[in-house]
Each structure stands twice: as C-alpha cells, then as structure tokens.
Amino acid sequence: MMIRSYYLLKRARWWMEQARFLLFKRKLSQEDLTYLEKYFSFFNRLNPQHKKEFLEKLEMVLSTKKFIPRGGLLEVTAEMELLISATIAMVTFGWKRLRLAHFHTILVYPNAYYSTSNKTYHRGEVNPKFGLIVISWRCFVEGLLDENDGVNLGIHEIAHALKLANQIDTDGEKEFEPQAWKTYKTLVPEEIEKVKSGENALFRENAALNEHEFFAVALENFFERPWEFFRSRQELYLALVRLMKLDPRVWAKTEMN
C-alpha cells in the first residue's frame, strides 16, 4: 500500500509539472533569442524547422525547472537559466516531449564546490533522490567556450540525469528504446578497456572509471566532436545515434579532414 501511494504521489507531481507548463509557460523574448544566437552555437547550426522545434522544447524546459543559487551566488540570472536549459534541450532534442521531468530543480554554484559527504570538490553532480542537477557555473561556461575538446560540464551532468531517468518508471516519460539501449550496452565493456589501453584516445581517462562516466564522456564527444567520434569509433557512434534519436553530424559545420 505504501509503495503504491509513493508511485501515485510521483505520478501526481508529474501531472502538476505538466499543468504548470501549460498554464505558466515561459515565452522566449527577442532578447533571449539574441543571447541564444550569440552564445549557443548549436542553435545557429539548425535549419529553420529544427530551430522552431528547439525553441518549443527550450520553452518547455524553462517552464518546468526551478533554478536555485548556491555557494554565495546571489542570483541565477535569466541568461544562466537560458544556457543551462538550452543544453538540456540539446541533449534531449531527439525526443519531442522529453524534459527530464524527474530532475525538477537545478542548483547553480559560482565555482567548484566542496562536498561534505565525500570530502572532495565537485564541478557538478546529479541527485536522483531529490531530483537535483547541480552545476558549477564557471565550469559550465568553460565547457561552452571550447566546443571541440570533448569536455562540456553541462552535457556531462545532463547525460548522467538522462541515464538515471531511464531507470525511473514514475516520471511519466520514456527515454531509451530497449533494443537501442541493449545494443549500446553490449559495446560498453570493450570500449572501456580500449580507453584504459589507450586505443581509444578520443575519450579522456575519466571515461574508464565506470559505465556511468563512460556514457557522460561519450555524449560530450558525441555532441562536440561528432565527425571525429564517427571516424574513430564508428560502431559506438552509430549505436548512440539510435539511442539518442539524432545525429549531430547533421549540424556539424564541416566534416573533419
């Protein structure tokens, strides 16, 4: 009885968030669009129809996430909200309505922050128990500034949230197709060993820590270096195309020589 009540409460929260989106939808202003065009290059590479779809998804994300400053940050500005939400929209762009509903709150620190639980500094993290995505703003911006190094904190943490959301049945959303997930999963153990041995030099060493870090690093490269990824690890790349329901090569400026 208690378990059933828990699931009913979780489902009710999802419907409340849906109602919030429909009733209090945040509309993007011209200033928002100008800022997006200036600082979020993925948006500029989209064709007109894809831009329209992206903006619809972005409004949905903005309307259903709560942003809270932490660690001495006085305010999460509209620009911060816009860029973080745009990253969520980009990572989940293959799904029309997916917004990572379970992760309803985003905590933003000014810099890397100290965790009292494991006595170390963090750049970001995901907490499924409390529905949190945590971001260091400085590290987030550093990830945006260099689009070709395969290191992007925003993509990394949202990848963790997406993978965890796939295991949550009470968020009212459907993430990975089972067969696409199975195909991807069969490749992971061998690919992790290739990172460890240096055969996969595209992924940084952090990818070899475990399957969760591997997925997050893979998505960083998937979005930032799609052609290089495709040419070096073609089978893995195409498995991610099926899993994520999109192919970033479509929007990459040019194929790498």
Side-chain angles (χ1 to χ4, degrees):
M1 186 68 177
M2 289 181 64
I3 295 176
R4 187 174 177 218
S5 298
Y6 170 79
Y7 280 107
L8 288 173
L9 284 171
K10 297 289 284 187
R11 181 69 68 172
R13 168 178 275 186
W14 185 87
W15 280 112
M16 288 174 65
E17 289 295 328
Q18 184 69 11
R20 178 185 171 193
F21 166 63
L22 293 172
L23 295 174
F24 305 102
K25 184 176 180 180
R26 174 169 167 180
K27 298 293 292 183
L28 293 167
S29 66
Q30 184 55 52
E31 290 77 11
D32 291 330
L33 296 180
T34 300
Y35 193 83
L36 199 63
E37 290 169 352
K38 185 175 181 180
Y39 294 108
F40 202 76
S41 61
F42 176 83
F43 177 71
N44 293 325
R45 296 195 291 267
L46 301 177
N47 64 36
Q49 178 58 35
H50 285 153
K51 280 187 176 181
K52 180 176 181 293
E53 294 170 2
F54 184 85
L55 293 175
E56 289 173 352
K57 175 173 272 287
L58 178 54
E59 287 183 339
M60 179 172 63
V61 173
L62 282 165
S63 300
T64 54
K65 302 299 181 194
K66 184 177 182 180
F67 293 83
I68 300 176
R70 284 287 188 266
L73 185 68
L74 298 179
E75 174 188 15
V76 180
T77 67
E79 291 79 12
M80 290 177 173
E81 293 183 3
L82 187 67
L83 291 179
I84 294 171
S85 296
T87 304
I88 295 174
M90 178 181 72
V91 173
T92 63
F93 196 42
W95 295 264
K96 185 175 182 180
R97 299 189 181 280
L98 185 70
R99 64 173 188 271
L100 299 179
H102 179 78
F103 296 94
H104 47 78
T105 302
I106 300 173
L107 306 182
V108 184
Y109 285 79
N111 299 294
Y113 54 94
Y114 187 75
S115 172
T116 56
S117 60
N118 56 16
K119 312 300 181 183
T120 188
Y121 281 91
H122 285 261
R123 293 156 42 92
E125 61 185 302
V126 172
N127 186 320
K129 181 178 180 180
F130 296 106
L132 303 176
I133 297 174
V134 189
I135 295 288
S136 156
W137 179 245
R138 179 176 180 176
C139 298
F140 177 88
V141 170
E142 288 173 351
L144 288 180
L145 290 177
D146 190 337
E147 301 175 352
N148 302 303
D149 64 350
V151 180
N152 184 301
L153 177 71
I155 295 173
H156 190 96
E157 298 306 332
I158 293 159
H160 282 313
L162 176 61
K163 185 174 182 296
L164 286 166
N166 187 57
Q167 303 170 20
I168 298 170
D169 296 326
T170 57
D171 59 0
E173 297 185 309
K174 183 179 180 182
E175 289 81 17
F176 302 139
E177 294 293 339
Q179 187 55 50
W181 177 245
K182 182 179 178 181
T183 300
Y184 163 78
K185 284 271 288 183
T186 60
L187 300 174
V188 172
E190 183 178 354
E191 289 294 338
I192 287 178
E193 290 305 313
K194 288 177 179 178
V195 175
K196 291 179 179 178
S197 68
E199 184 178 344
N200 180 354
L202 186 67
F203 290 10
R204 63 186 187 276
E205 293 180 358
N206 193 53
L209 290 175
N210 52 57
E211 65 173 283
H212 308 295
E213 287 301 312
F214 181 86
F215 180 70
V217 173
L219 284 200
E220 289 176 276
N221 285 280
F222 185 69
F223 283 101
E224 288 206 338
R225 303 191 285 191
W227 280 107
E228 189 175 353
F229 189 167
F230 172 73
R231 292 175 62 167
S232 65
R233 320 279 348 139
Q234 182 172 327
E235 187 178 11
L236 177 62
Y237 182 88
L238 293 178
L240 282 172
V241 168
R242 292 189 290 273
L243 187 69
M244 301 298 292
K245 303 183 180 182
L246 54 76
D247 187 344
R249 291 177 300 166
V250 173
W251 303 295
K253 292 180 181 179
T254 57
E255 179 176 356
M256 292 188 62
N257 294 322

